[in-house]
Amino acid sequence: MGKVLIWFVIIISTVVLYCLMKVKAESDELYEKLVRKHFYGRSDDIPASDKTKHLKGCG
């Protein structure tokens, strides 16, 4: 009975950790989109390399 309980705890822990990592990844992706939208406006179709062209002559 003890071995079954240990395996049950291991499996449940693994599933919970997987779900937490998946939620964290989705959260990071949404945060990145929010930051990109905040700093660059709504111009998502412009590549990141083109967004900094105006900064090259500033310094």
Side-chain angles (χ1 to χ4, degrees):
M1 182 66 185
K3 287 184 179 183
V4 172
L5 182 63
I6 290 173
W7 279 109
F8 182 74
V9 169
I10 290 172
I11 290 170
I12 295 298
S13 299
T14 303
V15 170
V16 168
L17 285 174
Y18 172 77
C19 290
L20 288 174
M21 290 186 338
K22 189 174 178 181
V23 167
K24 172 86 168 77
E26 290 175 3
S27 172
D28 288 348
E29 183 179 332
L30 290 174
Y31 178 76
E32 184 179 327
K33 285 181 182 179
L34 179 67
V35 169
R36 189 177 299 133
K37 183 178 176 182
H38 175 73
F39 285 111
Y40 299 120
R42 294 187 175 266
S43 58
D44 290 334
D45 55 339
I46 300 173
S49 59
D50 292 343
K51 293 179 184 177
T52 58
K53 281 186 179 178
H54 67 282
L55 298 175
K56 291 182 180 176
C58 293

